[in-house]
Amino acid sequence: MAKKKKRSKRQLEKKVKRFREHQKGKKRERDLAGRFEEDSLGDLETTKERIGSRKSRSDTRKEVIELTAARFEEFGVVAVSGEEDVESNGRVLEILGPVSRVEVGEDILECGLHMELRAIQSADKNFLVVGERICVRKTPEGETEGVIVAVFRRDSRLSRRSSRRSHIERVIAANVDQMCVVGSVAEPSLRPALIDRFLVAASVGNLEPVIVINKIDLVDEEGLALAREILSPYYVIKYPMLFVSALARRNLDGLRGVLAGKTTIFSGHSGVGKSALVNALDPRYKLETREVSEASGKGKHMTSRAKLLPLRFGGYVVDTPGIRSFSLWEVEKQDLALYYPEMKNLASECRYGGCTHTHEPGCAVKDAVDDGRVSYLRYDNYLKILESIEETPPA
Ligand SMILES: Nc1nc2c(ncn2[C@@H]2O[C@H](COP(=O)(O)OP(=O)(O)OP(=O)(O)O)[C@@H](O)[C@H]2O)c(=O)[nH]1
Ligand SMILES: [Zn+2]
């Protein structure tokens, strides 16, 4: 290892040690900053949930979209023409078997699918998911029911594979704009390698990343300054980063500003306070929060169906309690650096094509780490994630 890289490593370790000692000095009973050294990706690897990009396509879906789009263009609705009571600003909030909970303007309606769309849905389980933009015809009986008569083309989709080796895609949500990668300064302690892992997942899924560091009420001014210093590489690469506290309600307006008008998914290690943040942002919500386990400092995972939660100040949060620990799929080892904005352009300057930026001579990324253009923290996390990516199994 080059001398400069060794120095960067020592500097990072020193910062982390200072942060840890500072936290210990505070003698918080459940302080877990000491676990920073274990900033591995360990437990995330066991999860079966995987996030995917919108690259892969479903042919059925394509046909359906074309069919829907063609009919929509012609009639404004699917299969029904000349009706005026069709609202085109619907959004699917939740799927409850054959019925969906749908937001149309100020109203929340229970909607079934139009008969023709039902036939399409039975052929394609991913046809209608949470977040879908739709047209609704209100039924004459009342203001609380309606029929989904058209589904708009998706801007994006968030999907996972049903299991580690499966190629079956399950779309979790449609039309998601950004991912709030949540970490906490303590309980559980700061784990930048996990933050990076979620940032890569966001990038793979084509979602804008926002870093949110929660629980700042658990550190004093000095502790917060040290945490900011450790995380300073994210400022350098211009990822938006907010320091907040759900419990002490600090900087929530800043976070509201980031979420307003967008559809956001919260991700991050269990127990960092994702549910608590949603509850704090919009008091109408009472998502279940869990005590962080005394022994491990980790929250326990809860599972349930995905939901889209409209926010009072505009925008939506996708609540996917069971699918918070995304693993990566569709990422080949040699492509990982493409999801690191500061490494992406350097990779083409490496001497060897397919360079993994680990041991290869003439590596432009390693040179950049040596002279400080790429932060040691980010590079170290890159190596950890690289190690965790499975080799593609032979076809
Ligand atoms: N001190 C402090 N505690 C917080 C804060 N935000 C959340 N917590 C606590 O952290 C614990 C975990 O919070 P959750 O909101 O359940 O965490 P989560 O990220 O949704 O966890 P999972 O559902 O397991 O993914 C709860 O006991 C919360 O009360 C905060 O800003 N400060
Ligand atoms: Zn290289």
Side-chain angles (χ1 to χ4, degrees):
M1 190 187 290
K3 263 188 200 154
K4 280 181 191 160
K5 200 188 294 165
K6 267 193 188 152
R7 203 171 58 219
S8 316
K9 184 169 192 250
R10 268 203 310 275
Q11 277 168 353
L12 175 64
E13 282 167 354
K14 237 158 82 188
K15 281 181 198 168
V16 170
K17 199 165 160 226
R18 262 172 63 210
F19 180 63
R20 202 173 64 226
E21 278 167 1
H22 175 82
Q23 291 298 92
K24 271 191 190 147
K26 294 287 140 198
K27 291 201 178 4
R28 285 193 183 283
E29 269 181 20
R30 294 192 296 149
D31 179 77
L32 299 161
R35 295 197 321 112
F36 187 94
E37 281 163 322
E38 300 156 26
D39 185 19
S40 68
L41 302 163
D43 47 342
L44 275 192
E45 294 314 300
T46 59
T47 177
K48 297 260 188 292
E49 308 296 353
R50 308 191 143 215
I51 186 174
S53 73
R54 53 186 177 180
K55 267 187 261 166
S56 54
R57 302 190 72 83
S58 147
D59 289 337
T60 329
R61 170 84 197 168
K62 206 170 143 214
E63 280 166 28
V64 166
I65 289 168
E66 276 159 15
L67 175 75
T68 309
R71 295 199 171 178
F72 185 74
E73 227 163 73
E74 195 177 349
F75 303 119
V77 290
V78 169
V80 189
S81 66
E83 295 187 47
E84 284 163 7
D85 56 346
V86 169
E87 311 266 359
S88 60
N89 59 340
R91 195 97 198 259
V92 175
L93 301 181
E94 196 176 358
I95 313 257
L96 305 157
V99 175
S100 302
R101 232 163 47 84
V102 164
E103 183 195 47
V104 183
E106 303 277 286
D107 301 328
I108 305 289
L109 309 179
E110 295 220 330
C111 295
L113 269 177
H114 186 276
M115 208 168 53
E116 281 204 31
L117 298 183
R118 269 211 306 271
I120 300 165
Q121 189 191 33
S122 58
D124 178 2
K125 299 283 175 254
N126 289 327
F127 173 61
L128 191 80
V129 300
V130 159
E132 221 80 70
R133 295 186 210 283
I134 51 169
C135 290
V136 170
R137 192 183 62 217
K138 287 185 180 173
T139 49
E141 290 80 45
E143 291 294 286
T144 57
E145 288 180 17
V147 177
I148 298 172
V149 292
V151 181
F152 285 100
R153 195 183 295 274
R154 291 171 185 155
D155 291 334
S156 68
R157 70 167 182 266
L158 199 66
S159 59
R160 65 182 169 95
R161 286 196 286 187
S162 42
S163 71
R164 194 169 274 258
R165 297 243 177 256
S166 164
H167 293 283
I168 300 168
E169 181 189 15
R170 292 268 172 256
V171 181
I172 305 162
N175 304 312
V176 182
D177 302 308
Q178 60 184 4
M179 183 186 280
C180 265
V181 177
V182 185
S184 56
V185 277
E187 302 180 19
S189 63
L190 204 52
R191 295 177 70 181
L194 283 184
I195 292 176
D196 269 21
R197 174 146 204 134
F198 288 110
L199 289 173
V200 171
S203 185
V204 171
N206 261 319
L207 305 176
E208 290 296 322
V210 180
I211 302 168
V212 177
I213 304 297
N214 188 31
K215 308 201 187 187
I216 58 170
D217 58 294
L218 294 178
V219 292
D220 62 11
E221 285 289 306
E222 197 187 337
L224 186 58
L226 289 168
R228 277 182 196 275
E229 205 184 324
I230 291 168
L231 298 172
S232 60
Y234 297 107
Y235 288 121
V236 176
I237 54 170
K238 299 196 168 59
Y239 276 3
M241 182 158 58
L242 284 94
F243 289 81
V244 302
S245 167
L247 224 65
R249 312 190 66 79
R250 280 166 66 185
N251 199 16
L252 294 180
D253 277 340
L255 186 51
R256 286 191 188 100
V258 167
L259 302 182
K262 301 254 172 78
T263 300
T264 307
I265 185 158
F266 279 64
S267 70
H269 191 40
S270 185
V272 292
K274 299 176 291 291
S275 305
L277 278 170
V278 174
N279 294 345
L281 286 164
D282 190 329
R284 289 177 305 174
Y285 296 118
K286 307 261 176 299
L287 305 189
E288 203 182 333
T289 59
R290 286 281 176 111
E291 279 310 307
V292 175
S293 143
E294 294 268 334
S296 69
K298 295 168 191 165
K300 293 186 197 96
H301 276 295
M302 300 176 286
T303 48
S304 79
R305 274 186 299 245
K307 268 188 225 169
L308 195 68
L309 309 174
L311 297 167
R312 208 170 48 181
F313 49 90
Y316 301 83
V317 167
V318 190
D319 184 32
T320 56
I323 324 169
R324 278 168 174 168
S325 298
F326 302 112
S327 291
L328 306 176
W329 59 297
E330 292 185 357
V331 179
E332 303 281 344
K333 284 191 175 224
Q334 68 270 21
D335 292 340
L336 180 62
L338 300 178
Y339 301 106
Y340 275 74
E342 71 274 52
M343 295 185 196
K344 191 166 79 179
N345 296 331
L346 292 168
S348 59
E349 292 167 26
C350 294
R351 188 180 304 161
Y352 299 106
C355 183
T356 59
H357 323 302
T358 51
H359 58 279
E360 298 89 342
C363 171
V365 171
K366 282 196 292 173
D367 287 349
V369 177
D370 283 346
D371 63 27
R373 279 175 294 141
V374 167
S375 89
Y376 181 78
L377 173 85
R378 291 272 291 165
Y379 178 67
D380 195 39
N381 292 343
Y382 164 84
L383 294 179
K384 286 175 185 160
I385 297 172
L386 191 74
E387 212 175 300
S388 76
I389 293 177
E390 292 166 55
E391 299 289 351
T392 317

